Amino acid sequence: MTEPKSFLLRYVGARFEGHRLPLDVLPDLSAFRDLLVSYVKSSWRAAHAERERLPKGFEKSIAFDLVGIADGSAIPQLEWDRETAQLLLPDFKDELETLVEEAYGQVLALIDGVNRPVSAVALTSENIRALNRFGSGLRPDEKIEFPNCFGADGNVIYLDTHRRKRLITRSRDSYQTRFEDIGKLLGIRIDPLGTQGTITIKTSQYGMIDVPVAPERARDDFGPYIESDVQFRLMIELGNDDTYWGVVDVYDVDVIDTKVVADLAACRERIASLVSLGDGWRDGSGKSVTPAATSSASRLLARKPGMAAQYSIYPTESGGLLFELSRSGWDYSIEIGPAGMVEIYGTETDGDQEIETEALDVSSDEFATEFDRLTRGH
């Protein structure tokens, strides 16, 4: 029996330690599959020029399963489902297997050749669409490595935000990336037919942006709250010079209460004062708050703005930040380490129960789920 073809991707960065894979990067796996499929299609068409169309069921026959996540930084293992190919295209399964393996090599060559002349790389529209989604949630200090696959320089081949942008913008003038922040609601619009709504938000990074929403949301959820702060998570398109082009997809957008805005401002002022302490703030010891911890604190406030009034914020000697709050008979400590990862501790006020989480990333769905569970469930 033929051994199934499997492919490894190693996610490298603080939030992936302890073989954790945040849910917000899971779309990468389907995008990686689509990137492979785009190359398989091109190779098939080249080998079967006499055919006007792909065989029925061709794309569905190229299926992958997530069969495990290895230790260390998160290493998802994807395995090609030969049985699906056998079921849908039994006459071509062997050829498809070869093409899938060749496609993997083409993807590696593409990423490794990021610095080659533009003329040496020809990307199809399908390649570009998949690349725009693959790695879109990576942060500047993160990358996706391909274990045991070495490039021309002898190092492991990897994709990071810089390489991803360069690959896409060599073939077109823009690329897509995720964007989450808090901004100010400036206005709403509903088209004359009442079929599309738009809200205008002022952001600190890209100025005014228009975000599409359902017309009833524009009218009811945002209309009464002009000049209020809103939090949002979007997929946006940027030019190759990083200028803002537009919104591609909306994951969520909501108004923040005016009192919450004041509470957020107080928290930010407190964090800024702690950052200014510098090294030696505690009788000669104590490291200054790191940029990674500051960034995670900002994302914590943006992710859970309604909790801002309940936080007491302190520096930690290691260069992190500590958020403390009491809620529903429990005392909680949210400790942000110098690398930006967060652990939540809880002790029962009038009892002896305790809770503790593993290190989490504040932008991940796991953190939001765990934080809600802990603070609402006790």
Side-chain angles (χ1 to χ4, degrees):
M1 181 176 178
T2 304
E3 284 292 319
K5 301 294 180 183
S6 62
F7 308 97
L8 298 177
L9 288 73
R10 178 189 291 122
Y11 281 76
V12 179
R15 61 177 174 151
F16 308 122
E17 293 176 357
H19 59 278
R20 302 188 66 86
L21 193 66
L23 293 179
D24 60 356
V25 302
L26 287 181
D28 281 355
L29 303 184
S30 60
F32 177 68
R33 177 262 178 195
D34 290 346
L35 185 57
L36 288 175
V37 170
S38 68
Y39 277 102
V40 171
K41 285 181 177 180
S42 295
S43 297
W44 173 276
R45 291 187 176 107
H48 299 273
E50 74 283 359
R51 286 178 171 264
E52 293 185 4
R53 299 179 180 177
L54 295 170
K56 185 177 180 180
F58 184 89
E59 186 164 338
K60 290 183 179 179
S61 70
I62 311 172
F64 291 85
D65 298 318
L66 178 62
V67 296
I69 299 179
D71 289 343
S73 287
I75 307 177
Q77 180 179 355
L78 302 179
E79 188 174 280
W80 179 57
D81 188 350
R82 183 181 171 88
E83 291 184 4
T84 297
Q86 170 69 36
L87 178 64
L88 295 176
L89 293 176
D91 295 335
F92 301 113
K93 64 180 183 302
D94 292 332
E95 183 177 2
L96 281 177
E97 183 171 4
T98 299
L99 292 179
V100 167
E101 192 165 7
E102 289 178 354
Y104 184 60
Q106 290 173 296
V107 170
L108 295 178
L110 171 69
I111 296 172
D112 184 46
V114 65
N115 293 317
R116 294 175 187 165
V118 176
S119 58
V121 179
L123 294 178
T124 67
S125 59
E126 282 190 284
N127 296 155
I128 293 294
R129 283 198 298 272
L131 277 173
N132 261 322
R133 293 185 293 113
F134 183 44
S136 64
L138 287 175
R139 295 174 184 163
D141 57 346
E142 298 172 348
K143 58 184 177 181
I144 303 172
E145 292 183 343
F146 298 86
N148 303 317
C149 298
F150 300 93
D153 60 1
N155 296 317
V156 172
I157 296 173
Y158 69 91
L159 182 73
D160 60 6
T161 55
H162 173 74
R163 286 189 164 203
R164 177 178 172 273
K165 172 188 171 182
R166 185 170 174 80
L167 283 172
I168 297 170
T169 56
R170 286 194 308 178
S171 299
R172 57 179 298 169
D173 296 329
S174 66
Y175 69 104
Q176 296 174 10
T177 188
R178 295 182 200 175
F179 177 42
E180 61 178 90
D181 202 355
I182 292 175
K184 185 173 292 293
L185 178 65
L186 298 183
I188 70 166
R189 293 194 305 276
I190 299 175
D191 75 331
L193 297 178
T195 59
Q196 179 61 57
T198 304
I199 62 174
T200 300
I201 302 173
K202 182 179 180 180
T203 70
S204 59
Q205 191 167 357
Y206 299 114
M208 291 188 295
I209 66 174
D210 289 332
V211 179
V213 297
E216 60 271 17
R217 284 208 72 198
R219 181 184 60 249
D220 301 334
D221 296 349
F222 298 102
Y225 302 103
I226 304 302
E227 294 296 318
S228 297
D229 279 20
V230 293
Q231 60 178 343
F232 54 83
R233 288 195 307 131
L234 312 169
M235 178 74 82
I236 62 174
E237 186 166 16
L238 302 177
N240 54 19
D241 59 353
D242 292 327
T243 54
Y244 173 79
W245 281 27
V247 173
V248 177
D249 202 358
V250 180
Y251 301 124
D252 60 62
V253 56
D254 289 292
V255 173
I256 304 176
D257 183 85
T258 54
K259 181 181 181 304
V260 172
V261 173
D263 295 334
L264 284 170
C267 286
R268 292 192 179 105
E269 290 177 7
R270 171 63 174 169
I271 292 170
S273 69
L274 298 179
V275 170
S276 68
L277 292 176
D279 287 331
W281 57 267
R282 184 167 183 170
D283 299 326
S285 65
K287 296 182 178 179
S288 61
V289 178
T290 67
T294 305
S295 176
S296 286
S298 178
R299 293 200 300 271
L300 169 62
L301 293 174
R303 190 67 182 261
K304 293 287 179 179
M307 303 290 291
Q310 302 181 48
Y311 295 136
S312 297
I313 308 173
Y314 308 95
T316 67
E317 289 194 62
S318 63
L321 289 166
L322 181 67
F323 285 60
E324 293 188 345
L325 70 151
S326 296
R327 187 179 178 91
S328 303
W330 283 73
D331 292 328
Y332 294 100
S333 296
I334 307 172
E335 184 170 344
I336 304 176
M341 297 300 288
V342 180
E343 296 180 46
I344 304 175
Y345 306 91
T347 57
E348 195 175 19
T349 306
D350 296 321
D352 55 4
Q353 293 189 64
E354 296 182 354
I355 53 175
E356 179 179 347
T357 71
E358 297 180 1
L360 301 169
D361 180 83
V362 295
S363 295
S364 67
D365 290 333
E366 290 96 328
F367 173 81
T369 299
E370 190 71 7
F371 189 75
D372 283 346
R373 184 183 71 82
L374 293 178
T375 56
R376 292 179 182 174
H378 297 287

